[in-house]
Amino acid sequence: MRAFVTRDLPAPALDRIRNVAEVDVWPEPGPPPAAALRERVRDADGLLCLLTDLVDEALLACAPRLRVVSQMAVGVDNIDLAACARRGIVVGNTPGVLTETTADLAFALLMAAARRLGEAERLLRSGGWGSWSPLFLAGSDIHHATLGIVGMGRIGFEMARRARGFEMRILYTSPRPCPDAERDVHARRVTLNELLQESDFVSLHCPLTPATRGLIGAHELAAMKPTAVLVNAARGAVVDQRALFEALRDRRIAAAGLDVYESEPLPMDDPLLTLGNVVLAPHIGSASVATRIRMAMIAADNLVAGLQGRPLQYAVAMP
Ligand code: GLV
């Protein structure tokens, strides 16, 4: 059997795959271009990919032997699940192990945006620190503020648990009620509009689906408080990025903390880069060494199970 792995992985993960298959690893630090990906999957029985690799109908058409796609990430919006299902290809992902690491990063963005840490550091490094003065770099309080969580899944729940440590009030939206969140962190389920109007911080934790694409646009941003902060460590396309830029530029909301963008890497001429009131991270939500190793091991195990025709430990539900 043959497997194509689209990026170098920690050695134990590759060893696990090598036990059952001949492994071809993309040798470059960036993702394989579409043409190279098409070429490399031609005789592959399994594909281990990242969220930067587009697995669509056109790619699958080039991979007649493929029986498993194992993604080293929890989000699978880069994979055409319906096309995989039509071809009998199983898909795996890596939920669970990255939940707390990602919530840590989302909370860090919330804090950095609220307390203007990016601006503060840039100012100090550029010699702009004059003296202590009453409203110098004054931001917003986090403790006792209201946090609105859009998408109370695993990561949203961990975000809420962190927020409770700061005695925040928690509101949430979710397709279904989340009794655990209501019991453990006293979260209250509200409509999106109520959440936007009442929250001091709005943090996005929903997957990118046709229903959530563009969920936060000009209308939703206009419903937020002018003092509010938006945090997005989910997927960039959940937010209309142009509308967000305009809301931040015109101070219709106070600040944002972003880890994800409509287009990644964020182009260096993106207007968000001209703003002081946004903290920008390069999609590092799950990027702790321990978590990334665990993700690689799960992705390897899912791949091996699929190659051997066994059920995947973490199989994505197919449409
Ligand atoms: C990262 O964004 C992931 O989906 O795991």
Side-chain angles (χ1 to χ4, degrees), residues 132-152:
W132 194 97
S133 63
L135 287 180
F136 178 57
L137 282 169
S140 341
D141 275 329
I142 297 153
H143 64 87
H144 297 97
T146 297
L147 170 63
I149 294 186
V150 177
M152 188 60 92

Side-chain angles (χ1 to χ4, degrees), residues 25-315:
V25 181
W26 181 248
E28 294 174 25
L37 188 51
R38 281 200 294 274
E39 189 49 45
R40 306 292 264 258
V41 294
R42 236 167 252 291
D43 58 356
D45 303 281
L47 170 67
L48 192 154
C49 58
L50 307 191
L51 50 85
T52 45
D53 305 312
L54 183 64
V55 180
D56 59 3
E57 187 69 66
L59 182 77
L60 298 177
C62 299
R65 297 170 55 96
L66 203 61
R67 59 171 92 154
V68 53
V69 173
S70 172
Q71 163 114 321
M72 186 183 142
V74 63
V76 288
D77 45 279
N78 55 312
I79 301 174
D80 184 339
L81 296 178
C84 289
R86 280 195 297 277
R87 290 165 189 270
I89 297 171
V90 290
V91 178
N93 67 343
T94 62
V97 286
L98 49 69
T99 301
E100 292 183 76
T101 305
T102 306
D104 286 349
L105 190 274
F107 211 82
L109 285 174
L110 180 155
M111 296 187 77
R115 298 301 304 272
R116 304 174 58 182
L117 281 183
E119 277 176 86
E121 210 217 3
R122 285 190 296 277
L123 183 132
L124 184 151
R125 285 179 187 272
S126 65
W129 185 11
S131 71
W132 194 97
S133 63
L135 287 180
F136 178 57
L137 282 169
S140 341
D141 275 329
I142 297 153
H143 64 87
H144 297 97
T146 297
L147 170 63
I149 294 186
V150 177
M152 188 60 92
R154 282 177 288 247
I155 300 173
F157 183 63
E158 283 303 326
M159 184 72 173
R161 290 204 325 122
R162 279 149 183 73
R164 285 301 287 171
F166 287 74
E167 303 194 53
M168 296 176 92
R169 182 169 80 107
I170 318 286
L171 304 177
Y172 77 101
T173 63
S174 193
R176 283 167 298 284
C178 180
D180 288 353
E182 294 179 13
R183 186 191 57 234
D184 295 355
V185 294
H186 309 297
R188 188 159 65 86
R189 186 165 175 244
V190 293
T191 63
L192 180 60
N193 203 44
E194 273 176 89
L195 180 145
L196 295 169
Q197 286 177 357
E198 284 190 37
S199 298
D200 302 301
F201 297 91
V202 174
S203 192
L204 307 179
H205 297 285
C206 50
L208 177 63
T209 65
T212 62
R213 185 175 290 277
L215 182 70
I216 306 297
H219 176 77
E220 289 70 27
L221 291 161
M224 289 171 66
K225 298 180 184 181
T227 49
V229 172
L230 180 75
V231 175
N232 189 5
R235 282 293 183 269
V238 174
V239 178
D240 175 340
Q241 201 163 292
R242 178 74 207 176
L244 175 61
F245 163 73
E246 288 170 3
L248 288 165
R249 180 196 61 195
D250 302 343
R251 305 276 164 170
R252 281 184 273 114
I253 66 169
L258 306 177
D259 188 41
V260 289
Y261 308 89
E262 280 176 350
S263 168
E264 296 182 5
L266 185 66
M268 286 313 289
D269 60 355
D270 191 284
L272 282 173
L273 289 160
T274 64
L275 299 176
N277 55 343
V278 56
V279 177
L280 303 166
H283 204 148
I284 53 169
S286 63
S288 74
V289 175
T291 292
R292 286 287 166 84
I293 290 175
R294 283 195 212 107
M295 289 166 67
M297 296 308 279
I298 290 177
D301 284 346
N302 275 338
L303 185 77
V304 167
L307 287 170
Q308 295 180 328
R310 292 184 286 110
L312 312 195
Q313 192 183 359
Y314 297 101

